[in-house]
Amino acid sequence: KQWYQRRVQVQKDKHLAGGCGSPDTRKGLGGFASVQDAKREIVKTKEQLADEKKISLSIRIKPLNLEDLGKEGLKAKATELWENVIRLETEKYDLEERQKRQQWDLKELSERQIQRLRLKAVRMGLDAEALTGKYPPKIQTASKFERRADNKSYEDKQRLLMGLEIYHVSFGSRG
């Protein structure tokens, strides 16, 4: 019981202060004041989550004092609550539509990017799907220190290698 009351007070204090801690300390920790708070938030039991839900709802939902209101007061209160519900439903609908639009925009942008990468790959003389994958295509180089493509054929490389072997054999026997 004391834990619950203390937690309610902490939640109210946070709510009034506009969050927990300064924005600088929360920035890197995902909104938590310390690493311990973040770890505690991750490993909460169902009872703790239910308690926190009750606390947050008790803060957000204000109690109705209907005893002192007359007939006109009740009508006015009902109208006010109805307008609040309508406002919240409109905001919800607007946010849902905005989310759908943003998802569509992201899908369109990713498709455009894939098209551009395909055209770029074709211009570079690669396969059309070469640049659209997760990793860029490998560059076959003559050595690991050069970043230029190796245009030599297999026979040219073989002749070059044979020439090096002859060079090593002729100078290696003198030593």
Side-chain angles (χ1 to χ4, degrees):
K1 189 104 179 162
Q2 291 174 348
W3 175 84
Y4 180 75
Q5 291 172 348
R6 189 173 68 239
R7 190 73 178 161
V8 168
Q9 187 60 38
V10 168
Q11 286 283 335
K12 285 182 182 177
D13 292 342
K14 282 183 184 177
H15 183 69
L16 292 175
C20 58
S22 69
D24 296 334
T25 58
R26 292 182 291 158
K27 191 181 291 180
L29 299 171
F32 296 104
S34 68
V35 176
Q36 287 83 13
D37 288 346
K39 286 182 182 177
R40 273 190 236 117
E41 186 70 26
I42 291 172
V43 289
K44 287 188 176 178
T45 63
K46 289 182 180 180
E47 294 83 18
Q48 288 174 330
L49 291 173
D51 288 344
E52 285 193 1
K53 183 178 178 182
K54 287 178 188 175
I55 292 167
S56 64
L57 286 176
S58 69
I59 292 170
R60 291 180 189 160
I61 299 174
K62 298 162 187 85
L64 289 175
N65 296 327
L66 302 176
E67 293 84 29
D68 299 338
L69 297 176
K71 189 175 186 180
E72 293 300 317
L74 286 173
K75 282 184 179 179
K77 191 70 169 176
T79 307
E80 177 188 333
L81 290 173
W82 178 251
E83 288 173 357
N84 193 20
V85 166
I86 296 281
R87 180 183 55 82
L88 291 173
E89 284 292 328
T90 346
E91 285 179 13
K92 177 184 169 189
Y93 176 78
D94 291 342
L95 290 173
E96 286 175 349
E97 290 300 313
R98 182 177 165 200
Q99 182 184 17
K100 286 180 190 175
R101 178 69 183 179
Q102 287 176 347
Q103 286 176 346
W104 183 82
D105 288 343
L106 283 175
K107 184 179 173 185
E108 283 294 313
L109 288 173
S110 68
E111 288 176 4
R112 287 182 193 170
Q113 183 182 21
I114 288 173
Q115 286 295 331
R116 285 187 187 139
L117 289 173
R118 282 184 182 145
L119 289 173
K120 183 178 178 182
V122 169
R123 270 188 258 124
M124 292 173 61
L126 300 170
D127 181 37
E129 300 295 321
L131 299 177
T132 59
K134 188 175 181 181
Y135 304 107
K138 286 187 176 180
I139 298 175
Q140 187 178 14
T141 57
S143 76
K144 63 182 179 181
F145 304 108
E146 295 178 14
R147 290 291 295 165
R148 282 181 281 158
D150 186 14
N151 295 327
K152 296 182 190 121
S153 66
Y154 178 73
E155 291 81 22
D156 293 340
K157 290 179 188 177
Q158 202 171 23
R159 271 188 251 128
L160 179 67
L161 187 61
M162 290 298 260
L164 287 176
E165 286 179 7
I166 294 170
Y167 179 77
H168 284 298
V169 168
S170 63
F171 286 106
S173 60
R174 289 185 185 174

